[in-house]
Amino acid sequence: MYYNANVFVTTLSLMIFVTAQQNINALMLLSDVPTPSFIIDMQALRRIAEPPLNDNGDIPSIRCPKNNLLLQPISNTKRNNKVIDCQFPTVEGQQAIGYLHTTVTRGRDDAIPDEDEPISTFLAEIDLDPTLCRNDAHLVLGLNNHHVGSYYWARSAGAGSSMEAPGVGYGSSQSNSKGVLRWLDEGGPTACNSNDGKRSEWVNFLRRQDTVQLLPNDGQDTLLEFYKRYKQSLSSIDEDGKGEENTPTRIFGISNEGRPMGSEPAVVCEWRCILEEGI
């Protein structure tokens, strides 16, 4: 049998290209998810899970014991029958489990006189409505912060991702339901930072369409507010009865496992919310 080497090489190259494209298209990164959204660090969750989770990529259901809210993996994830309780603790020096992922809608250069006063402390407007976290969250170094150099990237790996950006306050906008980041002191990073490097100086450079993460001080309350805000869409069911399974939940699980060092976390799962009886 006669083989044309050029045709064989061309065909093989095309097959490799198509396969690579399929893999790329299948990969969803943190920057791809809608905002605002609630992000769960799966590696941090596995460290505190009781009963322990396997490392085979199975996704458990998560119960919030404070309010009986149950997070169930949607059908297109690798799910199992395990249900774990999680209080989403925030302990200094330990890797956080739950984050709020949000997009910058205006940066310092976009400050509006009268609306953003005092202009000297205004840093950014973000699309996270403070009522979603009951006005109780703070900016952290984050999970995919491209504004920081290699030193801060190293610090933000693992537990450092939940390291607070000191001196930066988060509150309500005066004109809409969005949130605002601003310096707590007019001296900005000079007055607000500790001597452990200028951990929040990067906030000065936030621009429109950047994404940042905040740490809610009560993850269970925040998830309940997400449920209340989006429950209408979550409970809507199409005529074929499949609407609930296909509805975006804005609660995603991410992981750096198997990813190159310094790369953006991959989205590995998504949940929907159910409020169990008894609340």
Side-chain angles (χ1 to χ4, degrees):
M1 185 178 292
Y2 174 75
Y3 292 95
N4 187 314
N6 291 332
V7 172
F8 175 77
V9 172
T10 302
T11 303
L12 180 61
S13 299
L14 180 60
M15 292 174 61
I16 293 173
F17 173 77
V18 170
T19 303
Q21 286 300 110
Q22 290 174 341
N23 290 336
I24 291 172
N25 292 335
L27 181 64
M28 184 177 182
L29 301 177
L30 178 58
S31 58
D32 296 322
V33 305
T35 58
S37 55
F38 193 96
I39 302 298
I40 296 176
D41 186 332
M42 291 301 297
Q43 291 165 286
L45 179 67
R46 290 181 185 280
R47 279 194 279 272
I48 62 95
E50 289 293 340
L53 297 175
N54 296 326
D55 293 328
N56 59 4
D58 285 358
I59 307 301
S61 294
I62 303 173
R63 179 185 293 112
C64 298
K66 180 179 181 179
N67 51 35
N68 289 339
L69 193 67
L70 181 67
L71 277 57
Q72 287 188 332
I74 62 175
S75 58
N76 63 343
T77 60
K78 189 177 181 181
R79 59 192 297 178
N80 60 31
N81 295 322
K82 285 188 177 179
V83 179
I84 63 172
D85 286 350
C86 183
Q87 299 181 13
F88 294 91
T90 55
V91 180
E92 186 175 357
Q94 294 185 15
Q95 190 171 359
I97 298 171
Y99 297 82
L100 290 163
H101 182 57
T102 178
T103 297
V104 174
T105 53
R106 289 190 292 121
R108 295 191 73 185
D109 295 341
D110 307 311
I112 302 173
D114 297 327
E115 182 177 322
D116 296 322
E117 299 293 343
I119 298 293
S120 59
T121 63
F122 177 82
L123 286 167
E125 178 189 74
I126 56 179
D127 65 1
L128 176 66
D129 183 346
T131 61
L132 278 172
C133 57
R134 300 187 179 181
N135 296 281
D136 195 8
H138 57 273
L139 183 70
V140 293
L141 203 53
L143 298 160
N144 64 338
N145 193 335
H146 66 274
H147 291 284
V148 298
S150 57
Y151 168 77
Y152 288 109
W153 171 81
R155 294 298 303 273
S156 68
S161 60
S162 52
M163 185 185 296
E164 182 178 6
V168 178
Y170 166 63
S172 302
S173 169
Q174 298 181 23
S175 60
N176 54 46
S177 61
K178 295 179 180 178
V180 170
L181 300 174
R182 61 173 65 249
W183 291 118
L184 298 176
D185 188 291
E186 290 201 1
T190 302
C192 295
N193 277 274
S194 68
N195 60 1
D196 183 23
K198 296 185 176 181
R199 292 203 324 249
S200 51
E201 188 175 30
W202 57 270
V203 190
N204 276 315
F205 306 103
L206 290 175
R207 297 293 181 266
R208 187 174 178 271
Q209 297 303 316
D210 286 341
T211 56
V212 295
Q213 289 82 46
L214 287 80
L215 193 63
N217 288 332
D218 193 317
Q220 296 181 87
D221 283 346
T222 299
L223 282 167
L224 183 59
E225 293 302 323
F226 265 75
Y227 167 78
K228 292 177 180 178
R229 175 71 56 89
Y230 300 110
K231 67 179 179 180
Q232 184 62 41
S233 61
L234 291 175
S235 60
S236 62
I237 300 179
D238 299 335
E239 292 182 1
D240 60 4
K242 298 180 180 179
E244 187 174 4
E245 287 292 327
N246 298 325
T247 303
T249 64
R250 292 185 181 245
I251 303 173
F252 299 90
I254 58 98
S255 175
N256 276 315
E257 190 172 359
R259 301 277 294 146
M261 293 185 64
S263 62
E264 189 176 353
V267 176
V268 296
C269 56
E270 183 177 8
W271 288 273
R272 64 190 179 103
C273 291
I274 295 176
L275 192 59
E276 296 184 307
E277 296 295 330
I279 188 170

